[in-house]
Amino acid sequence: MGHPLALQTEPARVPRRPGRTPIVVAALLTALVFFACHGGIPSFPSEFLRDDTTTCAQPNPVVPAVRTDITDKNYNGLFRNPEWRAQAAERLGQSVRINTETFDYLRDMPPPKEGKDVEERKGLEEFRKWLEETYPLVHKKLSLEVVNRYALLYTWEGSDHVSKPLVLCSHIDVVPVSQSSVDQWTYPPFSGHVDGQAVWGRGSVDTKNTLVGIVEAVEALLAADFVPQRTVILAFGYDEEISGYNGAKFLADALLAKGLKDNVGLLVDEGDYKIPCSHLIRAMNYLSTARIFCLLKGPGIQSQMGSTFAQIGISEKGYTDVTISLSTPGGHSSIPPPHTNIGILSKLITELEAHPYTPELLDTNPFLASLQCLAEHAKDINPWLRAAIRNYKKVRAPLVKYLAKDSATRYMMTTSQAVDMMSGGVKLNALPEFSSAAINHRVATHQTVADVEAHLVVTLLPIAKSYNLNFTTIDHTNTTHSHHQHPDSTAHLVVETYRGALEPAPISPSTGPVWDTLAGTVRRVAQDDWVTLGTRPENTRVGEQSVFVTPVLMAANTDTRHYWTLTRNIYRYDPIRENRIAGIHTVNEHIAISEFIASIAFFHELIRNWQELAQ
């Protein structure tokens, strides 16, 4: 049963008559094979473009029915008041001025329970105090539990102790600013400068925008005397940028201790920030599949191919780093062997890059659901591609081959491997005795960390044998395996998997009442106008009326990795438009004030709609 406030789901189009199906399939196959080999986009007569099915039906926008006075006061009033918006933007700027950079080396330095901590974390305590001073109602009405020194767990207790709670997540930390780039910033990176149009500085988009947006929404609801029926929980970690093992992991443990295993109704965290599509398209050929990937890359709101899509992450690729280490006898460089240590390591790396993972587009891959939404709702998509996606079961292999031509879409269908670091040798006239390389993998949804480890063994074993290398692997469970031993060899090849290896995330549902509530709220807010100022009645909405919600696969990982045991309804979404933000993880990070206000409005309405969900 869907949300009681939502109208019936917009029906999918009635399937057209199959018509000349064999001819259609043959034409599509021919075209796709041609494209996979030669590129370009064909034109087909309309009779060849009949499709079998259509998908990606859209839930209608969900508008809260209870306490319509709050809609008038906040959603249509306060959030459009120029003075209040300026004050809210200033508060976001204040949060940016508190330096909460986190660094990789802190991952293995958990904070002490009490006493002096490292200087790098001093901003976290300052941030908590700022929240307490800035949002008095939140800290009066909600209970706050400080977890593992700096993580913040707020509970807004509802009167209904049976229904499952809503959990809203974000993180306090930000990625470091390179000192070599400081002079490239329009405004200093921690100035929190507000120029009347945007808020500038590190964290303004990733992701103090969402954290402050959540707290602003709760403060506004409390000011309107809103009392939740269902419990709302705010979970703010402090080391997401270094995998969340001291923040979100401890928050998850605290929630489990409250009896919330498989007992959270909905959990929403940040999405995946990427460069604007316009930048990517300019960097690639016009006919590149980058146009497809732009629409589907990361959660947020993007307008492409004549339509606007709000993208909700329903899964994440897995992650693991692997280190290849090679030890060989040393000696003087004047009498080198046919292949030095570094030369053999180079051969091993070359062999890996010559054997990439094979792309597959399985029915369970969220990327397929994204493609289907594209085929259903993108006005300007080429008809042949629309037909190919709709008939993907009949043309799957050539469609995959075509999509795999571009690395952007390829890695939505397969595991990526990237050799990112190498070291070896200490002196020019000394043969290297040790060298190593580090390889980053983003694991496809249909594969596992064990598949990656098996691929490495199969690929590297022939090289190990040809060079008489003793070959050992240490897998992600810290188990050692011997694959080749040569009695006369003193050369050793060791392949070790990072202990924090992460399997692909469970795939959250993209149908049902929880999805309809979330997606309906997304459409309600995303289709509204957050640029125009001034109070106006609900029935005079003048925003965009055709924002389509699509599920997507995220290549990056978030703190949600630690929350899998709480619920199957984990979603990643940023209520911001890609052309109104900039500078994620680089210089000149900033967000338009209108997008920050839209973020507040989204969390405000999601909290309200969650109270009215019928389950």
Side-chain angles (χ1 to χ4, degrees):
M1 182 177 181
H3 195 290
L5 306 179
L7 301 177
Q8 291 296 314
T9 298
E10 296 175 3
R13 302 174 190 171
V14 177
R16 300 171 178 171
R17 286 187 303 108
R20 298 156 65 185
T21 301
I23 299 176
V24 172
V25 174
L28 286 171
L29 279 167
T30 301
L32 283 166
V33 170
F34 177 83
F35 279 148
C37 298
H38 304 289
I41 294 182
S43 297
F44 289 127
S46 60
E47 63 265 25
F48 291 111
L49 300 178
R50 302 182 189 278
D51 59 274
D52 291 340
T53 58
T54 55
T55 54
C56 197
Q58 296 291 299
N60 283 321
V62 180
V63 180
V66 178
R67 292 290 309 269
T68 56
D69 62 303
I70 294 180
T71 303
D72 294 335
K73 179 179 179 179
N74 289 348
Y75 190 85
N76 293 322
L78 188 68
F79 299 163
R80 303 171 192 285
N81 179 285
E83 183 178 356
W84 181 86
R85 287 164 66 111
Q87 293 170 351
E90 171 58 25
R91 287 190 287 271
L92 177 59
Q94 291 172 5
S95 76
V96 172
R97 289 167 205 151
I98 302 172
N99 185 334
T100 54
E101 291 173 296
T102 195
F103 302 88
D104 287 342
Y105 57 83
L106 295 176
R107 181 186 288 113
D108 300 320
M109 296 174 58
K113 292 183 179 180
E114 56 184 26
K116 184 174 177 58
D117 194 6
V118 295
E119 185 74 9
E120 290 87 339
R121 292 197 184 109
K122 68 176 183 179
L124 299 173
E125 182 69 20
E126 183 182 350
F127 191 88
R128 180 179 65 80
K129 292 178 180 178
W130 171 80
L131 282 174
E132 292 175 351
E133 296 169 358
T134 307
Y135 300 100
L137 293 179
V138 168
H139 290 84
K140 180 180 179 181
K141 299 291 187 179
L142 277 65
S143 64
L144 169 61
E145 180 181 353
V146 179
V147 179
N148 198 28
R149 188 77 180 249
Y150 302 113
L152 306 178
L153 187 62
Y154 293 88
T155 301
W156 195 2
E157 199 71 44
S159 57
D160 180 353
H161 299 292
V162 177
S163 297
K164 296 179 179 180
L166 165 68
V167 178
L168 301 176
C169 303
S170 188
H171 61 88
I172 303 168
D173 59 306
V174 300
V175 297
V177 174
S178 172
Q179 290 304 305
S180 64
S181 72
V182 170
D183 61 353
Q184 301 174 38
W185 286 71
T186 302
Y187 305 102
F190 294 101
S191 65
H193 181 79
V194 182
D195 64 5
Q197 299 296 319
V199 180
W200 296 72
R202 175 63 80 233
S204 58
V205 182
D206 185 10
T207 188
K208 288 179 178 177
N209 159 57
T210 59
L211 190 154
V212 177
I214 291 168
V215 181
E216 286 279 350
V218 174
E219 188 82 0
L221 286 168
L222 289 169
D225 297 322
F226 178 81
V227 178
Q229 195 171 8
R230 298 183 176 202
T231 297
V232 178
I233 297 171
L234 317 181
F236 301 150
Y238 63 86
D239 62 342
E240 189 275 344
E241 300 293 356
I242 54 173
S243 301
Y245 287 105
N246 289 313
K249 184 180 184 301
F250 281 80
L251 287 168
D253 291 342
L255 292 170
L256 289 172
K258 296 177 185 293
L260 291 177
K261 181 178 181 181
D262 297 322
N263 206 27
V264 167
L266 168 63
L267 188 147
V268 180
D269 200 356
E270 64 173 329
D272 187 15
Y273 306 99
K274 300 299 175 186
I275 60 173
C277 287
S278 56
H279 294 181
L280 188 58
I281 291 172
R282 282 197 297 269
M284 297 185 177
N285 184 287
Y286 178 84
L287 299 179
S288 168
T289 50
R291 286 185 169 270
I292 300 171
F293 185 63
C294 268
L295 285 166
L296 310 172
K297 177 108 182 186
I301 306 169
Q302 298 180 354
S303 297
Q304 291 293 328
M305 290 189 179
S307 300
T308 302
F309 294 85
Q311 300 165 137
I312 300 175
I314 63 171
S315 184
E316 299 174 0
K317 295 183 73 174
Y319 178 102
T320 187
D321 293 322
V322 173
T323 300
I324 299 177
S325 302
L326 182 62
S327 301
T328 56
H332 199 280
S333 295
S334 62
I335 312 175
H339 302 282
T340 68
N341 181 302
I342 292 175
I344 296 173
L345 179 65
S346 300
K347 176 64 176 176
L348 292 166
I349 292 171
T350 301
E351 192 71 7
L352 281 175
E353 292 190 338
H355 293 86
Y357 294 81
T358 303
E360 295 183 56
L361 186 58
L362 304 187
D363 289 3
T364 55
N365 189 339
F367 180 57
L368 176 60
S370 302
L371 290 172
Q372 290 171 324
C373 284
L374 185 70
E376 181 73 7
H377 298 296
K379 295 177 182 178
D380 298 337
I381 187 174
N382 190 277
W384 80 267
L385 183 56
R386 189 192 307 275
I389 294 170
R390 287 176 174 172
N391 291 275
Y392 76 94
K393 290 185 178 180
K394 300 171 184 175
V395 296
R396 193 189 304 257
L399 177 61
V400 169
K401 190 173 183 180
Y402 170 72
L403 294 172
K405 284 172 60 66
D406 188 284
S407 60
T409 42
R410 177 186 182 88
Y411 292 119
M412 291 291 100
M413 303 181 292
T414 191
T415 296
S416 63
Q417 58 178 13
V419 182
D420 292 327
M421 297 173 64
M422 286 187 68
S423 65
V426 295
K427 200 172 188 300
L428 279 174
N429 65 348
L431 295 174
E433 298 176 336
F434 180 84
S435 65
S436 66
I439 308 171
N440 175 260
H441 297 83
R442 303 301 172 118
V443 186
T445 56
H446 64 279
Q447 294 177 311
T448 65
V449 173
D451 291 333
V452 171
E453 292 169 334
H455 178 81
L456 287 162
V457 172
V458 169
T459 306
L460 299 181
L461 184 57
I463 306 298
K465 290 181 177 179
S466 67
Y467 288 99
N468 293 326
L469 306 177
N470 297 309
F471 182 18
T472 302
T473 59
I474 305 173
D475 68 20
H476 64 287
T477 68
N478 202 30
T479 303
T480 300
H481 307 270
S482 178
H483 303 281
H484 179 256
Q485 297 296 318
H486 193 282
D488 299 324
S489 176
T490 57
H492 296 272
L493 170 65
V494 179
V495 177
E496 183 172 4
T497 305
Y498 170 55
R499 296 294 170 275
L502 182 69
E503 301 289 356
I507 299 173
S508 299
S510 55
T511 58
V514 173
W515 170 265
D516 287 348
T517 298
L518 174 62
T521 304
V522 167
R523 295 193 79 202
R524 185 269 205 283
V525 177
Q527 292 179 168
D528 218 331
D529 173 20
W530 296 104
V531 177
T532 304
L533 304 180
T535 304
R536 84 295 183 268
E538 176 69 21
N539 61 1
T540 62
R541 187 179 295 114
V542 294
E544 187 173 7
Q545 297 301 305
S546 57
V547 174
F548 302 105
V549 174
T550 177
V552 296
L553 170 66
M554 285 180 57
N557 302 115
T558 65
D559 271 344
T560 58
R561 72 176 74 190
H562 300 291
Y563 298 130
W564 293 355
T565 56
L566 298 177
T567 178
R568 64 196 294 256
N569 299 316
I570 296 177
Y571 300 98
R572 306 138 185 98
Y573 176 67
D574 294 301
I576 51 181
R577 294 177 183 263
E578 54 92 15
N579 62 341
R580 295 177 187 169
I581 62 169
I584 308 302
H585 286 207
T586 186
V587 301
N588 285 332
E589 182 177 348
H590 65 279
I591 182 171
I593 294 174
S594 62
E595 297 311 290
F596 174 52
I597 302 302
S599 299
I600 299 171
F602 166 73
F603 293 116
H604 182 277
E605 297 301 271
L606 181 61
I607 292 170
R608 296 176 67 200
N609 284 333
W610 183 250
Q611 310 304 313
E612 302 175 30
L613 171 66
Q615 283 186 293

